[in-house]
Amino acid sequence: MRSPATDRTVGVLLPRDLPADRILPYARRAEELGFGALWVVEDLGFRGGVAQAAAVPASTDRIRVGIGLLPAGARNVAFAALEIASLAQLFPGRVDVAVGHGMPHWMRSVGQWSRSPLTLLREYVDALRALLRGELTQRRGQYVHLDGVQLDPSALPDVVPDILAGVRGPKSLALSGEVADGTVLAEPVAPEYARAALGHIAAGRPHRLVAYNIASVDADPLTALAAARPGLEWIGEPDWHAHIAPLPFADELVALRSGCASREEFARRMPGDWVARLAVAGSPEEARARLDGLRAAGVTDIVLAPVGPDPVGALESLATVLGA
């Protein structure tokens, strides 16, 4: 049987808590179904982004792997360059890397939240790109200090991977437009948020926009919407304000969350039309229309995050949105 065509614009997220013995089957099945990329996360207390990113292409043939994201405060930039260059050498043209501030409470808990996250990110991305290009690098920044550091020619990748910024606030988005090859937006990404983000990014050169979204597809749209709800329980919290503010029902959403005793109650009481706007959820036809709306808003890379107790099985239904 002929393998399905690959849709290079649509990828899937590797669940951070997927049992270890299911990670590689998940990656292989995503490739078999025609997804163009698999993105991994590095959340504190779960799994390391670099290790996951190495395992995926080693066990597959063509699917890209994205790391979304590596917190700048967690690794010295020179040693991060060693890891990224190694990945890019081993799997040329198949690696994307996003760098970001990291969640503030996580970074504070390990003593790595900087006084100026914007300055750190600017210095970090600039130095990382220079190192990956093989430049002899001198930096005397506020956070990044390099004294004649250079990768050996034997360690330089033929294809330097895109360095993206995983950010959300207006100032951070503007910085991404200045220094990064693209921006990764965490879920939820409605078209309104994508347009608002691009307005802040205002890149003067080609710039990718990667959008994560909770995803659930079923022949019965109500079943799909019900499955997506738990994945949206966090979006009423303050950290997600930037995602919600451009939406016409933003004030109502904030009011609903303030009237709920828990995140679970908030997700349960959310109107169905909000869920449909905040997730790629519904019938295959409805989900494909949602993807078209994201592309029209400027999203270049769509990343679907499966929900439910069987993420590997969920890949089957999510694949119904892929192009023929």
Side-chain angles (χ1 to χ4, degrees):
M1 183 174 67
R2 185 171 63 89
S3 299
T6 298
D7 189 333
R8 296 188 181 278
T9 70
V10 181
V12 290
L13 193 69
L14 179 68
R16 65 183 186 177
D17 58 352
L18 191 67
D21 62 354
R22 302 186 74 191
I23 290 175
L24 298 184
Y26 182 97
R28 288 190 285 264
R29 189 60 183 142
E31 178 173 85
E32 291 166 358
L33 290 168
F35 290 101
L38 189 149
W39 285 77
V40 303
V41 299
E42 183 171 84
D43 287 350
L44 185 63
F46 289 86
R47 297 187 175 103
V50 175
Q52 293 178 89
V56 169
S59 64
T60 55
D61 295 322
R62 52 107 192 129
I63 197 168
R64 295 179 68 88
V65 62
I67 307 177
L69 52 80
L70 299 178
R75 289 176 181 81
N76 178 281
V77 69
F79 289 92
L82 300 185
E83 300 285 5
I84 295 167
S86 298
L87 282 174
Q89 275 195 323
L90 291 167
F91 310 108
R94 295 179 63 190
V95 178
D96 295 310
V97 178
V99 180
H101 306 308
M103 294 296 284
H105 64 285
W106 289 344
M107 301 307 291
R108 289 190 179 101
S109 74
V110 297
Q112 297 297 327
W113 184 251
S114 65
R115 291 187 177 183
S116 179
L118 286 169
T119 301
L120 169 58
L121 189 61
R122 179 187 295 277
E123 293 179 359
Y124 199 96
V125 171
D126 174 68
L128 180 59
R129 182 178 287 109
L131 289 165
L132 293 174
R133 288 174 176 169
E135 298 174 13
L136 181 63
T137 308
Q138 298 275 356
R139 293 292 187 277
R140 288 289 185 273
Q142 184 174 341
Y143 296 101
V144 174
H145 304 274
L146 298 173
D147 186 9
V149 179
Q150 186 175 30
L151 293 187
D152 188 84
S154 66
L156 290 175
D158 291 332
V159 179
V160 175
D162 282 349
I163 305 300
L164 301 95
V167 292
R168 68 175 103 217
K171 292 181 181 179
S172 296
L173 289 166
L175 176 61
S176 179
E178 290 181 46
V179 303
D181 300 308
T183 301
V184 176
L185 300 178
E187 70 281 3
V189 181
E192 294 91 338
Y193 176 44
R195 293 189 185 97
L198 285 170
H200 293 299
I201 291 166
R205 57 190 176 89
H207 190 93
R208 293 167 60 186
L209 188 65
V210 181
Y212 291 4
N213 269 307
I214 297 299
S216 174
V217 180
D218 194 276
D220 178 7
L222 294 180
T223 298
L225 292 175
R229 286 180 181 276
L232 297 172
E233 65 180 25
W234 291 92
I235 67 170
E237 307 307 311
D239 283 342
W240 275 260
H241 176 74
H243 301 246
I244 304 306
L247 297 170
F249 52 87
D251 291 341
E252 295 172 80
L253 188 147
V254 171
L256 175 62
R257 179 64 187 94
S258 66
C260 294
S262 66
R263 294 189 298 269
E264 293 78 11
E265 180 188 354
F266 166 69
R268 187 172 63 251
R269 291 177 54 187
M270 197 182 303
D273 59 330
W274 293 6
V275 177
R277 294 280 291 275
L278 293 165
V280 176
S283 68
E285 295 76 19
E286 290 168 335
R288 280 193 288 269
R290 178 86 164 85
L291 300 191
D292 289 342
L294 289 168
R295 293 185 182 106
V299 173
T300 60
D301 301 70
I302 297 167
V303 182
L304 305 179
V307 292
D310 181 15
V312 178
L315 289 175
E316 310 289 331
S317 60
L318 296 185
T320 63
V321 308
L322 299 177

